[in-house]
Amino acid sequence: MIYLDTAASYPLLPEVKETLIKEFENHYANSAASHYLGEEVNKSINRVREMLADEIGAFPSEIVFTSGATESNNLAIKGALLSKDPKLKSKKHIVTSAIEHKCNLAICNYMESLGFEVTYLMPNKNGLITAESVKGALRVDTALVSIMHANNELGTLNPIKEIGQVCFENDVLFHCDAAQSLCKTEIDVDNFNVDFMSFSAHKIAGPKGIGALYIRDLREREIEPVIHGAGQEQGVRGGTVASPLIAAFGTAIELFPLRYKEFSKTKALEFFKESLQATGITYSENGHGEKLSHCCSFTFHDVKVTKLIRENDEKIAFAQGSACSSKEIQASHVLTALGFSREEAEKTFRISFPLDISHEQISFVVNAIKKAT
Ligand SMILES: *Cc1c(COP(=O)(O)O)cnc(C)c1O
């Protein structure tokens, strides 16, 4: 099976799997326990907290472990806006974009049901959310801006530093969903001026069910927990801390950046595009500018989609630009925001390569596309 869907989830690195098994076996104690075994677990959690903090230029005390980026996004947006922070009391406006991850849009919809107003910014023709558009949407009652770093369908990188600057100058909180960009491109929370940043382990070949939220100056900030509990994670996220998953997240943070760099050197996407051209397949690339090196959206104008999918069902794992729910075909909200028709969206695929993709496999995929035209 040729797996072209790492933007949805990476397979585990073998070393991550080893850490998982070892930690489940040996570090079984509860990190909140005061005995030696508990303290050992707590130390191992805090080592990963430091690793992640180092990776993003933060302090370990500003990192909260969660179950993943979905929960981190919930904690950032609800935790800030539903808190008792007096500065936010009369501020009821949120700025986000129409191309955020589905979970972010669901959270914003929920905030609307609580009386907040949300502005959904549209991307420019390159698929980017510009700092100017953020600036133009700010109001006196804007409490929070939430814009993602790397887009999970296009692989594009939004100008987070510039957006952060706009938020800083206007004294507005800034949350950034960085699930797709962690360990793949430079992140510096100070340089970016973010107040909150969301991460997920399974987008860097770690296990599913673990992630983190960066919260600037957490100790001095009012945050309402989403999961109330017994004081874990500085009282911000209840529940016994998932130490084996965190340890495995740590192994991924340690190993993934170099593996990704090595992968990037193979220029897999360039080879894919050159092969498409050499084979005479008409395609367009969606999203332009600075992009991730493993993930890209393509529209294959002459391809017969059902034929391509049917004939490669057990050979290639494709991510299509439209999610089919029973009989109804719905174009993805990202492609819709870019002005795609339903037909165009149907012919659009997100290609996201695994670390060990070979040129032979890429050629196989290109030939499969050619056969379906
Ligand atoms: C995968 C992803 C999420 C969700 O992360 P989980 O850890 O699976 O909850 C959120 N945002 C983006 C951009 C993602 O790619």
Side-chain angles (χ1 to χ4, degrees), residues 1-5 312-319 351-354 357-366 368:
M1 188 68 151
I2 302 175
Y3 185 61
L4 301 180
D5 202 15
N312 296 284
D313 197 26
E314 282 164 22
K315 297 184 205 126
I316 306 171
F318 275 120
I351 307 279
S352 53
F353 291 122
I357 188 92
S358 67
H359 281 199
E360 288 71 32
Q361 288 175 313
I362 293 174
S363 299
F364 183 90
V365 174
V366 170

Side-chain angles (χ1 to χ4, degrees), residues 7-8 67-71 73 101 103 148 150 152 177 179-180 200 202-203 210:
S67 64
T70 301
E71 188 188 327
N73 290 347
H101 190 271
C103 69
M148 72 200 317
N152 50 303
D177 177 351
Q180 289 288 350
S200 173
H202 74 99
K203 303 293 171 72
I210 191 74

